[in-house]
Amino acid sequence: MSLGLVRHFRVQHKPERTWLTGEQFNLWIQGYESAPIQQPGHKSNMQKWDICLCSDQARAVHTASYFDAQEFVYTEQLREIGIAALHLGELKLSGLRLPLSCWLVLARLSWTAGHRSQPESKAAVLQRAHMVIDSLAAKAEAAAPEGRVLIVSHGAFMKVLDRELRRRGYKAERMFFPRNGQLFLYEKK
């Protein structure tokens, strides 16, 4: 079985300000979750897929529609790792204004460090990745044992999936920072 892992297409959502408070950052994240994707110029003419496993978040669902698959399965298990503005106990850093990129880095670093300000713990995300590979890939393999399976997900969660797939013997091009719409092909040796 060969697996394709692709990040959703670029989202059309820009911040109104360059410097945001933590509350404004959280509102920006909510807007990002519901924003439309930039439509690619044409449907994907890459490979045909037997099954497409896709995050149930709108940006991934819309992206999946551009790929040619016989069957689509939408699941919350492939959702992006949730993030929120860092807060330290009762101190929510409400007066602090930072650029969007700083809030994003702080949120991912605090998630990596296991800070409780983040909506989903690192342990929960790793467990979810294990479950995705175990259950969804098993279903896909049963449906198409020698076939091609496409997984449409999100940047940070893709990196977790990449590590788990490599741990299980899959080989692919090295994933440093997955770009929107970039396809990574995995083969099990």
Side-chain angles (χ1 to χ4, degrees), residues 2-100:
S2 61
L3 284 171
L5 188 54
V6 67
R7 183 179 180 192
H8 62 81
F9 294 138
R10 185 173 300 279
V11 174
Q12 295 177 352
H13 187 64
K14 302 258 187 223
E16 293 179 20
R17 301 176 177 199
T18 56
W19 292 74
L20 306 170
T21 65
E23 290 174 9
Q24 289 169 328
F25 171 72
N26 289 338
L27 289 173
W28 185 87
I29 291 293
Q30 289 175 5
Y32 182 85
E33 293 296 332
S34 60
I37 62 169
Q38 288 181 356
Q39 305 294 327
H42 59 291
K43 281 225 177 219
S44 171
N45 60 0
M46 291 185 216
Q47 300 92 354
K48 293 184 184 243
W49 303 93
D50 296 309
I51 189 168
C52 175
L53 307 172
C54 180
S55 162
D56 64 353
Q57 289 177 290
R59 58 191 181 272
V61 171
H62 293 303
T63 299
S65 70
Y66 284 84
F67 289 90
D68 185 7
Q70 293 177 4
E71 180 184 353
F72 291 87
V73 177
Y74 304 99
T75 177
E76 64 185 17
Q77 289 181 322
L78 288 168
R79 284 182 170 210
E80 179 62 293
I81 302 166
I83 59 172
L86 174 67
H87 62 83
L88 305 170
E90 296 299 316
L91 177 64
K92 295 197 178 183
L93 307 176
S94 59
L96 183 62
R97 290 184 177 271
L98 296 171
L100 176 65

Side-chain angles (χ1 to χ4, degrees), residues 158-188:
M158 279 178 58
K159 292 183 84 164
V160 174
L161 285 174
D162 176 68
R163 278 185 233 115
E164 181 61 19
L165 286 167
R166 288 177 188 285
R167 191 181 74 73
R168 294 185 186 208
Y170 285 87
K171 305 286 183 207
E173 175 187 341
R174 185 63 58 195
M175 181 187 298
F176 295 106
F177 182 76
R179 292 185 316 270
N180 296 97
Q182 184 178 9
L183 177 66
F184 293 87
L185 293 173
Y186 293 80
E187 296 286 338
K188 193 162 190 174

